[in-house]
Amino acid sequence: MTWELDPAHSSVTFSTKHMMVTTVRGTIAIDEASVDFDEEHLERSSVEVRLSAASVNTGQVARDQHLSSADFLDAETYPYLAFRSTSVERNGGDDFVLKGDLTIRDVTRPVELEAELDGVVANLQGGRRAAFSASTKINREDWGLTWNVGLETGGWLVGRELKINIDLALVAAEASLDAVEEAVA
């Protein structure tokens, strides 16, 4: 069954080390998502997500502009990052591994996300909502994000490891369509 993204309750956050010791955190906006979620057979589910490269927000305008520049995401040339699942494997209970392809700057590499079905509930409009959380770690240099500055004391200004956390809130598509039809009537 197709589910629609609830952008007000969904987020993609990331973090990496700065100067080897402090942590910089930020968000990147979900531009669009397509989720086919099979409640009975989770392994038959699939997800495609597109993120806006220009939406990077760390709370520091100059840093955000740098992250969107050609040194990092090059949002002008590559406006989107994308993830497309290739398989879902249950780990037991509501835990699963979501495998897929992550594309950044036209470089596509496989990734695995440790994921969890946080629950499925009835919503206030009579439809159904589902929520998922997932996380992974990647080496940003594997996607060509190699800009860095060596520190006099050794090490690097920007960490290579990028931690990514995702929270997706979904609404059953038929419930969304019914709500729209009721609002129009």
Side-chain angles (χ1 to χ4, degrees):
M1 168 191 298
T2 301
W3 292 66
E4 295 178 1
L5 179 71
D6 173 359
H9 298 99
S10 299
S11 66
V12 176
T13 60
F14 62 88
S15 64
T16 193
K17 290 295 183 186
H18 171 72
M19 296 187 73
M20 309 293 291
V21 293
T22 60
T23 302
V24 171
R25 291 178 172 77
T27 62
I28 187 164
I30 301 171
D31 182 62
E32 82 183 39
S34 172
V35 180
D36 188 10
F37 168 46
D38 186 329
E39 291 180 69
E40 300 298 318
H41 302 280
L42 191 60
E43 63 280 356
R44 295 181 188 164
S45 301
S46 64
V47 62
E48 288 186 48
V49 178
R50 189 170 79 169
L51 308 171
S52 171
S55 71
V56 170
N57 182 355
T58 64
Q60 298 292 320
V61 173
R63 179 172 45 221
D64 297 345
Q65 290 171 344
H66 190 205
L67 291 173
S68 294
S69 78
D71 284 343
F72 288 97
L73 295 176
D74 196 0
E76 189 172 312
T77 305
Y78 308 101
Y80 302 105
L81 293 75
F83 174 82
R84 173 184 234 160
S85 66
T86 56
S87 69
V88 177
E89 299 173 6
R90 277 197 184 270
N91 268 349
D94 292 330
D95 295 335
F96 58 98
V97 175
L98 179 62
K99 295 181 179 183
D101 295 322
L102 176 62
T103 302
I104 303 172
R105 293 176 56 134
D106 268 355
V107 175
T108 301
R109 299 235 186 273
V111 295
E112 291 187 10
L113 294 98
E114 295 296 323
E116 182 176 356
L117 169 60
D118 296 322
V120 180
V121 298
N123 68 19
L124 299 175
Q125 293 77 29
R128 294 176 37 238
R129 296 175 92 41
F132 297 87
S133 55
S135 63
T136 192
K137 296 176 186 177
I138 64 170
N139 180 338
R140 65 184 177 85
E141 293 180 347
D142 291 344
W143 280 266
L145 306 175
T146 58
W147 183 93
N148 223 332
V149 173
L151 301 174
E152 288 181 22
T153 57
W156 299 97
L157 181 66
V158 181
R160 290 183 178 112
E161 182 181 81
L162 192 63
K163 296 178 183 178
I164 302 169
N165 293 296
I166 303 160
D167 289 294
L168 284 183
L170 307 171
V171 179
E174 75 272 4
S176 298
L177 294 175
D178 291 342
V180 169
E181 289 171 4
E182 288 176 21
V184 172

